[in-house]
Amino acid sequence: MPLVTFTVDPSNSILNDKWVAVYEGITRCNNVLKYLALATDIPHADGVNIKAQARFLRAHYYFDLKRVFDKVPWIDEATTDFTPTNTVDLWPKIEADMKYAYDSLPESQGDIGRANKWAAGAYLGKIFLYEKKYSDAEPLFTAVINSGKTPNGLAYGLNDQFEHNYMPAYETNNPEAVFVIEMAANIADGTIANGNQGDALNFPYGATTPFPCCGFFQPSFDLVNSFRTDANGLPYLDDYNSHPIKSDEGLLSSDPFTADAGFIDPRLDWTVGRRGIPYLDWDVYPGQDWVRDQRYAGPYAPKKNVYWSATQAADADQSQWAPGSSINVFVIRFSDVLLMAAEVEAQLNNLDQAEDYVNRVRNRMALHPEGWVYKYSDDTDPSAGFSGDLAANYKISPYPAGAFASQAYALKAIYFERKLELAMEGYRFFDLVRWGLAPTALNGFFASESKLVTDVTGGHFTTGKNEHYPIPQQQIDLTQKAGKNTLTQNPGYN
């Protein structure tokens, strides 16, 4: 809760765990680079590929640290002083690693989890976007969109069906997979849980849920309301909370509930479990019986990280105290690239191109209603499949030609589209910070959401402080030199 409400302090052990885990990744990259330089029996092309992959991953890890903590020390394969300062700008070093990867990696890698040239190009564009170097990012995104391929040779594109991104059966032939972290389940040796343990706390959990734990990753009312669409199939960019989607907050699962009859973006029901809608092939989502405590965090449940009942034997990992899954984790997927490119084009005032990219994302759903959520053929037997009747009143349309008539409107629409398309995937906070919208958006969220639930009560975003989390105090203490701190704490946490 302190992480969510921005009441966290430098002693928080979760922050220290994050720091240690990411630097462990960096250390492994550095060891590869150090010992690769000493190897004499590796063919040149293989050596270049290995080096480029290691530098790609090191750039990825430092990018992650930079977003979370901002002031972090640079440690590479040549470092000998392990009490460095953290006041040097890391962006040029992150750029250099990813630029090397882009220039050196092959297009084909075979394994879908390995970085290739195009993953590096997309990531380098993302780095430039965070630095607001729009002119540098634009040609990279253009090249990735027009020529990019997955490591196993598929031209980048959007899956016709949105939900296929979160189904392991489609992972090998997924044109949307720019860079993914591959997950596995049911590893034969049984020594470690290889499923996505990041999901361990985040399955629906309640009196009748089929999942053993834990119910702490609940979508907010604010997020759900964002999926309301108007009569034209477009979102309410400014006042979506004034057009709320009906919920069953405060109702027992046994209480009668009539579903919302208004227009809804169909992506909602592949993102959020809500009352009366099929929850994958498990059951019609019953509301309270599938949440830990409605009063605490509301009536909704996540969906994107949950495996299907029919494939649980292959996709569920139950080797630890809480469930994991073999669903791959996207670091970058193609719709993300399209929306980052749209943002860059809007910042450069290429508004028609920006609108085209956004509409490509929206048209995935608008043109493929077969990818919407349908009612079960038989509610008492979800395994019998789905009927031809839609589960809700879905409506989604592309923006009409010329809608992006001003830069301000274009950016507002792009920002909102990212909220919808990438919901529950870990992008939103970092987007709000880099856009400079975090104070208004998050404090508005705390004010409205805390009227409905208690988990965000007391939350407040302070400008100049909460853009980043504090440097873990344990790391400051461990890296002292001659009794003096070498790491500088972030503003507002001293």
Side-chain angles (χ1 to χ4, degrees):
M1 187 170 175
L3 293 169
V4 174
T5 58
F6 300 105
T7 56
V8 68
D9 64 50
S11 68
N12 188 284
S13 63
I14 294 175
L15 295 177
N16 189 66
D17 290 345
K18 171 69 174 179
W19 182 284
V20 170
V22 180
Y23 269 108
E24 172 63 24
I26 291 168
T27 297
R28 295 184 185 194
C29 294
N30 289 340
N31 285 340
V32 167
L33 293 167
K34 180 166 62 176
Y35 292 110
L36 178 65
L38 302 176
T40 59
D41 58 347
I42 297 176
H44 176 74
D46 291 345
V48 171
N49 191 356
I50 293 168
K51 181 177 180 180
Q53 288 186 67
R55 292 189 68 176
F56 175 100
L57 288 173
R58 185 169 67 183
H60 160 69
Y61 289 129
Y62 274 117
F63 177 82
D64 190 22
L65 286 172
K66 178 73 174 169
R67 291 192 306 171
V68 175
F69 297 109
D70 188 28
K71 293 181 178 180
V72 295
W74 177 267
I75 307 291
D76 62 22
E77 72 276 21
T79 298
T80 57
D81 180 3
F82 291 95
T83 55
T85 63
N86 62 336
T87 55
V88 175
D89 181 15
L90 292 195
W91 283 127
K93 296 178 182 293
I94 296 171
E95 280 183 26
D97 267 358
M98 197 59 77
K99 178 68 163 55
Y100 179 86
Y102 180 56
D103 290 340
S104 305
L105 284 170
E107 290 192 8
S108 176
Q109 291 282 35
D111 299 327
I112 61 175
R114 290 187 184 276
N116 68 349
K117 175 183 180 66
W118 299 113
Y123 216 137
L124 184 57
K126 182 174 183 175
I127 291 164
F128 286 142
L129 176 61
Y130 268 70
E131 294 184 90
K132 296 180 169 49
K133 294 182 176 180
Y134 306 120
S135 295
D136 292 322
E138 194 273 341
L140 283 166
F141 286 136
T142 299
V144 169
I145 290 168
N146 292 338
S147 303
K149 297 178 181 179
T150 65
N152 59 338
L154 298 177
Y156 286 151
L158 297 174
N159 283 306
D160 287 348
Q161 295 190 211
F162 182 74
E163 76 276 15
H164 286 177
N165 283 305
Y166 315 101
M167 298 175 71
Y170 297 93
E171 288 172 347
T172 302
N173 295 304
N174 185 354
E176 209 156 335
V178 178
F179 183 56
V180 300
I181 300 170
E182 288 195 273
M183 294 296 169
N186 306 309
I187 301 304
D189 63 15
T191 58
I192 190 170
N194 286 275
N196 183 5
Q197 286 298 299
D199 290 336
L201 299 175
N202 301 330
F203 284 73
Y205 181 69
T208 64
T209 177
F211 309 105
C213 208
C214 282
F216 291 114
F217 186 43
Q218 290 183 241
S220 66
F221 289 94
D222 182 275
L223 176 62
V224 170
N225 292 343
S226 299
F227 286 87
R228 173 71 78 196
T229 57
D230 64 18
N232 297 312
L234 297 173
Y236 290 92
L237 300 180
D238 297 307
D239 62 344
Y240 55 90
N241 276 323
S242 297
H243 307 272
I245 290 175
K246 185 178 179 182
S247 82
D248 65 326
E249 177 74 358
L251 296 179
L252 300 175
S253 292
S254 57
D255 291 337
F257 177 75
T258 303
D260 195 297
F263 296 125
I264 292 173
D265 185 320
R267 286 174 291 187
L268 171 63
D269 290 329
W270 289 121
T271 304
V272 174
R274 63 189 184 98
R275 180 72 176 269
I277 303 297
Y279 190 89
L280 307 180
D281 61 344
W282 288 100
D283 206 343
V284 175
Y285 187 77
Q288 188 184 61
D289 283 353
W290 277 32
V291 297
R292 181 176 285 270
D293 184 353
Q294 279 190 351
R295 295 165 299 177
Y296 179 73
Y300 302 117
K303 263 189 176 177
K304 288 181 176 179
N305 59 295
V306 176
Y307 47 81
W308 290 58
S309 175
T311 60
Q312 61 181 306
D315 298 341
D317 194 304
Q318 307 289 2
S319 59
Q320 288 193 346
W321 56 273
S325 82
S326 62
I327 300 171
N328 286 350
V329 175
F330 286 100
V331 178
I332 301 177
R333 61 183 174 91
F334 189 60
S335 61
D336 181 19
V337 173
L338 289 171
L339 294 175
M340 288 191 291
E343 186 178 337
V344 164
E345 297 292 358
Q347 290 288 357
L348 296 175
N349 247 347
N350 302 322
L351 302 184
D352 288 344
Q353 183 62 72
E355 183 175 342
D356 176 71
Y357 286 150
V358 171
N359 280 343
R360 284 181 66 175
V361 174
R362 294 185 64 79
N363 274 331
R364 182 234 298 274
M365 276 299 193
L367 300 179
H368 295 281
E370 70 275 13
W372 299 357
V373 176
Y374 289 79
K375 295 178 180 179
Y376 294 133
S377 297
D378 180 356
D379 284 350
T380 67
D381 182 16
S383 66
F386 298 90
S387 71
D389 298 324
L390 290 170
N393 191 16
Y394 301 126
K395 188 163 190 176
I396 181 173
S397 303
Y399 285 91
F404 286 19
S406 71
Q407 185 184 66
Y409 181 85
L411 289 171
K412 183 189 297 185
I414 293 163
Y415 295 168
F416 205 84
E417 197 65 29
R418 287 187 65 81
K419 183 181 185 181
L420 301 173
E421 174 71 12
L422 304 171
M424 307 295 289
E425 296 184 44
Y427 296 87
R428 183 66 174 167
F429 171 73
F430 300 110
D431 280 345
L432 290 172
V433 168
R434 67 185 180 84
W435 295 330
L437 300 178
T440 300
L442 290 174
N443 289 329
F445 168 81
F446 289 136
S448 62
E449 203 80 6
S450 61
K451 295 176 182 177
L452 303 168
V453 290
T454 62
D455 67 327
V456 295
T457 300
H460 182 77
F461 184 96
T462 300
T463 303
K465 175 184 178 181
N466 295 132
E467 290 83 359
H468 302 95
Y469 286 98
I471 307 301
Q473 188 62 45
Q474 187 172 345
Q475 299 304 317
I476 293 176
D477 295 341
L478 284 172
T479 54
Q480 286 185 346
K481 193 172 187 178
K484 296 183 179 180
N485 294 338
T486 63
L487 296 182
T488 302
Q489 184 55 271
N490 283 327
Y493 293 106
N494 289 314

